[in-house]
Amino acid sequence: WAPPRFAHVPVVLGTDGQKLSKRRGAHNVLEYGELGYLPSAIVNAMALLGWSPGTGEEVFSLDELRELFTVERIHPSPATFDPKRLDDLNGIHIRRMSIEDLVEALEHFLPGTSKDMRRQLAPMLQHRMVTLADAQVLAAPLLHDVVLDETAPLPPPKVTRDVAAAMLSGAIDIVERGGLADHDAMLEQLRAIAKEHGAKVGDAFRTLYVAMLGTQSGVPVIEAMQYLGAETSLIRLRRALALLR
């Protein structure tokens, strides 16, 4: 006896048009897990290899796939596995997770952190991650000190020294006055400083990112300051301001 075979199960190709295999860079499921991909996203991506529900939808939970998936809707033509598509799906599945589920999932990728720490970090990380492994880089400036180097110039590109100094001085003043307690008010005050100096808000804020996170992007910078607290935030802001002078 042999299990039935489906003649219309498609061949899976890589982006180079060749049959996907381990020799051509494919990973097994366990390796994808170590790389920070969620089981739900992997199954979602696999289901779309030669199959569709006929509705144009591409993002499905496991329960939704159990309801919708049928062998009859598998197309016989070769299907291409696109790593970018998996990345996109994985990011969406991460953003759909509850905070508590994300806290549990991040334990492997943020070793040495307590559940309470991850519970504070998760809302900042959730909308910035493509894979769970991204948490290591994103959370690093919140778990360790920041060392500014040539990859994080001060002032950042498109920001004058005067604008950078104004943003840093303004942030210092707000924090010293207890402004970290009101996220929205602090955000509006910093936006006003940027506009007052004729700078684009997004560009001006990169000064604060470099000062606080050591990079021009990352987790939301005001939330990062709230997590680090006033003392650490002031140390980093003052250090950056001193580098401008």
Side-chain angles (χ1 to χ4, degrees), residues 201-223:
V201 172
D203 291 339
F205 262 73
R206 282 190 282 114
T207 305
L208 302 179
Y209 276 89
V210 172
M212 295 303 306
L213 305 176
T215 180
Q216 295 182 59
S217 61
V219 300
V221 70
I222 295 178
E223 285 92 327

Side-chain angles (χ1 to χ4, degrees), residues 53-67:
T55 62
E57 296 291 326
E58 291 197 339
V59 183
F60 304 100
S61 68
L62 295 178
D63 287 339
E64 289 169 337
L65 282 172
R66 290 189 190 100
E67 291 291 325

Side-chain angles (χ1 to χ4, degrees), residues 23-45:
R23 286 183 300 175
R24 294 184 179 278
H27 300 286
N28 66 40
V29 172
L30 294 179
E31 288 174 328
Y32 275 112
E34 288 296 314
L35 292 170
Y37 291 90
L38 297 173
S40 59
I42 296 171
V43 173
N44 192 163

Side-chain angles (χ1 to χ4, degrees), residues 157-236:
K158 299 182 181 179
V159 180
T160 67
R161 190 171 296 271
D162 287 345
V163 169
M167 292 297 291
L168 293 168
S169 297
I172 290 169
D173 180 59
I174 294 168
V175 175
E176 287 178 335
R177 291 187 285 104
L180 278 179
D182 191 333
H183 172 280
D184 291 347
M186 184 173 185
L187 178 61
E188 288 306 313
Q189 291 174 68
L190 290 170
R191 282 176 173 170
I193 292 171
K195 293 176 181 177
E196 179 184 343
H197 286 78
K200 293 183 178 179
V201 172
D203 291 339
F205 262 73
R206 282 190 282 114
T207 305
L208 302 179
Y209 276 89
V210 172
M212 295 303 306
L213 305 176
T215 180
Q216 295 182 59
S217 61
V219 300
V221 70
I222 295 178
E223 285 92 327
M225 294 166 72
Q226 290 176 320
Y227 175 84
L228 292 167
E231 182 178 352
T232 299
S233 295
L234 287 171
I235 289 172
R236 294 188 183 185

